[in-house]
Amino acid sequence: MREVRPLLKLGVKHLDVELLQRNLSRLGYEIGLNGVTGYFDEYIENAVKKFQQDYNLTVDGTVGHITGSRIDAALP
């Protein structure tokens, strides 16, 4: 059975946001001065939008299945 990820978007506080922040940082995206907080703020939204733009995805600043899978695939 496949694990379903929660939709990550502005205002969400979740352990999965911490993982998202770490992964975006590993990929070279700016996650803000506070680093890994678990809170999806404007810095994370902008980093997600930049990632989506860089990978030719729909640029909406949210992390669902498609964006999350592409982030996972982009990790070294």
Side-chain angles (χ1 to χ4, degrees):
M1 182 176 206
R2 191 177 70 151
E3 182 179 333
V4 177
R5 300 179 195 195
L7 179 66
L8 303 178
K9 61 183 181 177
L10 189 62
V12 169
K13 183 160 180 64
H14 194 278
L15 287 176
D16 284 352
V17 176
E18 289 183 18
L19 179 60
L20 172 65
Q21 290 169 317
R22 285 187 187 95
N23 289 343
L24 287 171
S25 180
R26 285 177 59 195
L27 292 169
Y29 293 91
E30 177 60 47
I31 63 167
L33 299 175
N34 293 327
V36 176
T37 63
Y39 181 69
F40 199 119
D41 60 14
E42 292 85 7
Y43 286 105
I44 303 309
E45 183 181 51
N46 289 333
V48 168
K49 285 180 178 178
K50 178 71 172 120
F51 176 87
Q52 290 170 328
Q53 182 180 22
D54 290 348
Y55 285 81
N56 297 314
L57 301 171
T58 299
V59 179
D60 61 6
T62 64
V63 180
H65 175 71
I66 293 172
T67 298
S69 295
R70 290 296 293 270
I71 290 171
D72 291 346
L75 292 168

